[in-house]
Amino acid sequence: MENKNDKTQLLGMTPEELGAFFKEQGQPAFRAKQVFAWLHQGVPFEKMSNLPKVLRETLEETCIDNPVSVIETIQSRLDGTIKLLYRLPDDHVIEGVLMRYKYGNTLCLSTQVGCRMGCKFCASTLDGCARSLTPAEMLGQIVCANGILAGQGEGQKVGNIVLMGSGEPFDNYDNVVKFLRILRMEGGLCIGMRSVSLSTCGLVENMRRFAEEDLPVTLSLSLHAPNDEIRRKTMPIANRYSMDEILSACRYYIEKTGRRVIFEYALVHGVNAAPEHAAELASRLRGMQCHVNLIPLNAVPERGLQGVSEREVDAFRKVLEQRNISVTRRREMGDDIEGACGQLRRRYLKDQRPNEKE
Ligand code: SAH
């Protein structure tokens, strides 16, 4: 039987790398540009109509056009949000969410199979991290989503990317950076850095390194606490980096890119959601070019953490507003389809292994 894992993944290659690959095959240089365009349009080898038939057959036998395939889609009846479950060549399963806004389609991507950051409120991290995704596997998720949109007769492709699925992007630094460089290339998906948000729990060295990459995406920082003591209660990474170090790396990012930083703050009942926590947060963020995104916690039953009422969200928001901190409450999409990180994948894996205990 053929082994998919031995095949060369062409999707994650730059045009230069494809050029070298085709040169080795004795093909003319222009094949790289042709194949680069086809791959990002989601066209399988056999349909790459401007390639000789023999070449198409060789590619079919030895290479993979898209390492990601869709196992299942679930569409929300409330707002058209689509939850996607994908399979990778080594049979790992990852998930994503395709959100439909008035201004376009946004895809939430995974960057790893699981996650090893261990945040207590997050379902993605419950089984740890199996491995990091390749650039091809990140691009492949977008190619799949574009295929689904086209299949629904939707004219528009994915226009915005949020790296907020499973995984910690800065724990897979080189692959994420290469993915972003390919993402914006003309002749490919051509998605500019202004249309990308990257969310991190705050790996300080890599945040600073990333500020130098000339990839000015919107940086989202998962803060979830007004001080280190509270942050350590839910986020193990807070034992490695202090909030001072994180906020200083954020200021560096703002200075280097001219872009404001978004702070993600999931309100957890009895942990970080009191008005005095809002006041402390405001004083930490004073003077920074930033925005706070309040997220009512999506309860994860495995962890016993509780969300907050609308009234608590409102009270928290008002304290920040009074102190001139720009703040919004995150809109929830796909509430009826297990939209939160890692939940669908967990349900799927559980269904596959019904005898295993949680
Ligand atoms: N590892 C990255 C990106 C993935 S998570 C990070 O930590 O930022 C994307 C966002 O969802 C993060 O802000 C994360 O803290 C948040 N999140 C995870 N589980 C959640 C839950 N149960 N309810 C609300 N937000 C959650």
Side-chain angles (χ1 to χ4, degrees), residues 57-97:
E57 284 167 2
T58 311
L59 291 176
E60 182 85 47
E61 274 163 34
T62 56
C63 301
I64 300 183
D65 45 17
N66 185 353
V68 183
S69 57
V70 175
I71 304 173
E72 190 182 327
T73 60
I74 307 173
Q75 184 149 11
S76 162
R77 267 179 243 130
L78 303 174
D79 53 29
T81 299
I82 301 176
K83 194 86 217 227
L84 299 136
L85 204 61
Y86 312 97
R87 190 184 303 288
L88 304 178
D90 56 2
D91 282 339
H92 277 305
V93 172
I94 54 168
E95 65 182 87
V97 194

Side-chain angles (χ1 to χ4, degrees), residues 121-123 163-165 167-169 199-201 222 224 264 266 295-298 300 330 341:
F121 43 76
C122 183
L163 297 178
M164 292 191 185
E168 166 50 48
S199 183
T200 177
C201 62
S222 298
H224 305 316
E264 305 285 345
I295 315 166
L297 181 83
N298 239 308
V300 180
R330 185 200 274 178
C341 296

Side-chain angles (χ1 to χ4, degrees), residues 329-348:
R329 175 199 193 287
R330 185 200 274 178
R331 237 178 95 194
E332 279 159 296
M333 308 280 291
D335 241 1
D336 52 339
I337 54 164
E338 297 177 290
C341 296
Q343 289 183 351
L344 178 65
R345 172 171 174 262
R346 282 187 68 71
R347 201 210 63 209
Y348 177 82

Side-chain angles (χ1 to χ4, degrees), residues 107-295:
L107 185 67
C108 178
L109 291 196
S110 289
T111 54
Q112 296 180 311
V113 181
C115 183
R116 58 188 190 125
M117 295 297 116
C119 299
K120 293 228 168 77
F121 43 76
C122 183
S124 296
T125 202
L126 286 165
D127 294 325
C129 176
R131 69 171 174 86
S132 286
L133 300 192
T134 62
E137 289 166 340
M138 291 180 240
L139 293 162
Q141 295 172 56
I142 307 172
V143 171
C144 285
N146 279 338
I148 284 167
L149 288 168
Q152 293 194 348
E154 155 95 50
Q156 276 197 61
K157 297 184 172 183
V158 171
N160 298 287
I161 300 295
V162 295
L163 297 178
M164 292 191 185
S166 296
E168 166 50 48
F170 286 159
D171 189 37
N172 183 17
Y173 187 89
D174 292 340
N175 285 334
V176 166
V177 164
K178 186 171 182 196
F179 156 73
L180 292 172
R181 295 207 190 287
I182 297 177
L183 180 67
R184 69 173 169 188
M185 282 179 182
E186 269 179 50
L189 289 164
C190 207
I191 297 179
M193 293 301 101
R194 291 194 170 265
S195 308
V196 178
S197 289
L198 183 153
S199 183
T200 177
C201 62
L203 304 186
V204 168
E205 289 92 358
N206 282 345
M207 285 170 70
R208 289 186 169 269
R209 205 170 141 205
F210 190 71
E212 317 261 356
E213 298 278 2
D214 194 25
L215 293 167
V217 304
T218 301
L219 189 68
S220 282
L221 198 293
S222 298
L223 198 57
H224 305 316
N227 58 48
D228 287 316
E229 196 191 328
I230 294 181
R231 200 161 191 259
R232 282 194 292 264
K233 286 188 186 164
T234 54
M235 302 180 74
I237 196 69
N239 294 304
R240 201 152 113 209
Y241 302 105
S242 69
M243 258 178 72
D244 278 344
E245 289 172 301
I246 290 173
L247 295 180
S248 153
C250 287
R251 286 195 193 89
Y252 185 63
Y253 190 80
I254 295 166
E255 186 190 307
K256 279 289 190 187
T257 62
R259 316 226 49 202
R260 70 176 183 175
V261 167
I262 313 277
F263 291 105
E264 305 285 345
Y265 198 105
L267 293 161
V268 188
H269 184 73
V271 177
N272 65 1
E276 61 264 29
H277 297 142
E280 190 178 359
L281 178 67
S283 75
R284 297 296 288 262
L285 302 184
R286 187 168 301 137
M288 243 174 126
Q289 201 183 320
C290 70
H291 179 83
V292 175
N293 203 359
L294 294 179
I295 315 166

